[in-house]
Amino acid sequence: MTESRVVIVTGGGTGIGAATARQLRAAGHRVVISGRRPGPLERIAEETGALAHPADAGDPAAVAGLVDAAVAAYGRVDGLVLNAGIGRGGAVGDLSDEDWDTVLRTNLTGPFLLLRAALPHLLETRGAVVAVASVAALRNGVANAAYATSKAALLQLCRSVAVDYGKAGLRANTVCPSWVRTEMADRRMTRFAEEAGLGDGGADAAYEEATRLVPTGRPGQPEEVAEAIVWLLSPAASFVNGAALTVDGGVTAVDPGTVAFDFGVVPRGVDGR
C-alpha cells in the first residue's frame, strides 16, 4: 500500500498476526489488532503503535464493536486480515460436538461476521481482504477433520467475496501456509515430540521431523507469511482476486507417490516404533 490505510488484523497478538501488524505499521499504515487475550495485544500495541481492541471473533456484537472502534479511531476501514484461528485434532468419529463447533465458530463463522460487519466500509474504500487459511485447505492430513474443513471453507468464503463484490472494487484473497513457527504451532510440536518419542529435542526436533519432506527443509517464519499478506493488501496486487497463495516452502508441490524413492516410509507404531 502506497498511501496510509486502515487495516484490522484479527489474531494480532502473536505469530502471523503480530508479524503482519509490525510490517503494516512500519510501512506507515494504521492498524487495529484484535484477539481474545488483552495481554499479547497490549504488548504488540506498545511495540508498534497499533490500536489494541480485544474481541471474541465468534461474537457478532463484539465483531461489530471492533469495526466501530476502527471507524471511530481512524474514520475508515481499508483492509482486513482474517488471521484468528484455532485447531482441534481428531477424525470425524473422534470429534466431539463441542470441538467441531468451536473450530468452525472461530475459523469460519468469525471471519464471516467480520466480513459482513466491515463490508460497507470496505466497499466505500474499495478495500482488500486477506484470510490466513492453511495448506490444510488444499491437502488433508491424519486426524484433522475440523481444522481442514474450516480452512477449506474459509478459502471459499473469500472467493465468494471476490466473485460477489469484485466489480465494486473489493478484493479478497487467501494465503495458505504450511508449518510456521508460531505460538500455536510450537504447542502442537511440543506435543508431537512427546508422542513420537523424539527425545530431548522438543519442538525443534518435531519441526525437523515434520518438515523433512518440505523442499526448503524447514518451517516458515511469521514474517515470511506477513510479507505475502502485506503484498496482497497492496495496490501491487491490484489484479489478484480470489486467489489462494501457498506460502509453504514448496510442500504442496511434492507428489506423495514419489516420496518412497527417496525415503523409507514406515508408519509410527509399526515394528515397535
Side-chain angles (χ1 to χ4, degrees), residues 92-192:
V92 168
D94 303 322
L95 283 166
S96 66
D97 292 348
E98 180 182 2
D99 283 346
W100 175 265
D101 289 343
T102 298
V103 171
L104 270 292
R105 187 77 185 168
T106 302
N107 295 1
L108 181 60
T109 302
F112 161 73
L113 293 172
L114 183 51
L115 282 164
R116 188 176 63 182
L119 186 62
H121 304 286
L122 293 169
L123 291 173
E124 183 177 347
T125 59
R126 299 176 69 86
V129 175
V130 180
V132 180
S134 167
V135 294
L138 308 171
R139 307 284 190 272
N140 217 321
V142 175
N144 202 32
Y147 183 79
T149 298
S150 71
K151 292 300 188 178
L154 177 60
L155 189 159
Q156 291 298 344
L157 175 64
C158 279
R159 284 179 168 166
S160 294
V161 172
V163 170
D164 290 334
Y165 301 102
K167 289 183 180 178
L170 177 57
R171 295 185 300 109
N173 294 291
T174 307
V175 293
C176 296
S178 56
W179 284 113
V180 176
R181 292 214 66 154
T182 65
E183 182 181 277
M184 185 171 81
D186 281 353
R187 288 195 301 268
R188 180 65 188 97
M189 285 299 176
T190 299
R191 293 198 307 274
F192 172 44

Side-chain angles (χ1 to χ4, degrees), residues 33-53:
I33 51 175
S34 185
R36 288 195 182 100
R37 297 180 295 159
L41 294 175
E42 290 165 3
R43 287 192 289 272
I44 297 300
E46 184 176 352
E47 173 193 338
T48 65
L51 174 64
H53 186 91

Side-chain angles (χ1 to χ4, degrees), residues 5 9 45 47 86 89 95 142 150 160 163 172 201 203 211 216 219-220 235 245 271:
R5 305 185 80 188
V9 181
E47 173 193 338
I86 61 169
L95 283 166
V142 175
S150 71
S160 294
V163 170
T211 60
T216 54
L245 175 61
D271 296 334

